[in-house]
Amino acid sequence: TSTTPDMIPNPKTDLDVDMNMALVHKALKLLLDNRFMEAEEILQRHYESDMHFALGYGAMITFQAIMTYDGKEIEKGYQILAQGLQLTDSNRQKKTDYLRMRAPTYQEVVAELLYAETLLLNSLLTLAQSDSVIAMIKGAVKGRTSYTIYKDLHSKYIVNGDLEDEVDVMKKGRKKPSNDFLSGILLGY
């Protein structure tokens, strides 16, 4: 069955990240079940305003572009990933806050992870369509930057376990990080 637009909450008015994640999970499940139109309907609606939707939609279009090698799909993938990078970057911890040793908020930590994931997709798309050595180097540099972010997150939140100790970072008093967050870090590490 198709998802009707009124059944999809608006992340601008609904700040429940868990509900947005559930919708992104649903869309990705639909994608894996070859129900592309339904998945796109869910993801396309909010990708310009929510970083989770931007990553999900970016992943979907990136995989389509790589499979079809269609110039229009590749360009669409770059546009969606650029939007996702902009959204996630605007939610990451600012360098001045980092230098002041302020603990990041939960949203800033999640944005850092989503930035790394979006950058990795951008790297894959660049490598897939590269027609020159320079383009391949650009893709490799993006991939390396993404890996560096994953490595830092892994070191801080999995090896050292800081996520469980920092109350400022935790969402809604959660005692331990979500499985989505942990698996996201492990994806790139």
Side-chain angles (χ1 to χ4, degrees):
T1 63
S2 179
T3 307
T4 59
D6 59 323
M7 292 174 56
I8 303 171
N10 185 348
K12 286 185 178 179
T13 58
D14 183 1
L15 300 177
D16 188 358
V17 174
D18 291 331
M19 186 164 39
N20 289 340
M21 286 297 299
L23 282 169
V24 172
H25 283 175
K26 178 181 178 179
L28 294 177
K29 184 171 177 15
L30 289 169
L31 177 67
L32 294 173
D33 287 341
N34 291 327
R35 294 164 62 185
F36 300 109
M37 300 298 276
E38 293 173 65
E40 187 171 24
E41 185 180 333
I42 292 171
L43 295 171
Q44 188 176 35
R45 183 162 169 159
H46 301 300
Y47 82 93
E48 293 176 329
S49 60
D50 183 88
M51 54 189 177
H52 296 94
F53 285 87
L55 176 63
Y57 192 43
M60 178 181 163
I61 298 302
T62 297
F63 297 139
Q64 283 180 350
I66 290 171
M67 288 188 292
T68 63
Y69 203 69
D70 178 28
K72 290 179 184 178
E73 288 294 319
I74 291 171
E75 186 57 38
K76 183 178 178 182
Y78 277 127
Q79 289 173 357
I80 292 166
L81 291 173
Q83 178 71 31
L85 286 170
Q86 183 180 4
L87 275 171
T88 54
D89 192 42
S90 68
N91 285 289
R92 291 167 69 200
Q93 185 177 26
K94 306 299 177 243
K95 195 172 200 169
T96 55
D97 291 338
Y98 179 76
L99 293 174
R100 290 182 192 144
M101 303 299 283
R102 180 184 67 78
T105 64
Y106 181 77
Q107 182 175 349
E108 289 169 340
V109 173
V110 169
E112 189 72 15
L113 175 61
L114 296 179
Y115 184 83
E117 291 174 347
T118 306
L119 193 59
L120 181 62
L121 287 172
N122 194 299
S123 171
L124 289 173
L125 195 56
T126 301
L127 289 171
Q129 69 97 159
S130 63
D131 54 355
S132 69
V133 174
I134 292 174
M136 290 183 76
I137 292 171
K138 281 175 137 179
V141 168
K142 290 175 188 176
R144 179 65 185 166
T145 302
S146 176
Y147 174 71
T148 301
I149 295 169
Y150 278 119
K151 188 172 140 185
D152 291 345
L153 290 169
H154 184 269
S155 173
K156 183 166 178 132
Y157 297 116
I158 294 185
V159 174
N160 295 334
D162 284 354
L163 193 58
E164 294 178 13
D165 297 333
E166 294 180 15
V167 177
D168 288 344
V169 177
M170 296 317 304
K171 180 184 140 225
K172 297 179 184 173
R174 192 179 270 162
K175 297 291 184 223
K176 60 185 231 179
S178 72
N179 288 335
D180 290 322
F181 183 78
L182 293 175
S183 63
I185 291 174
L186 294 173
L187 165 79
Y189 188 75

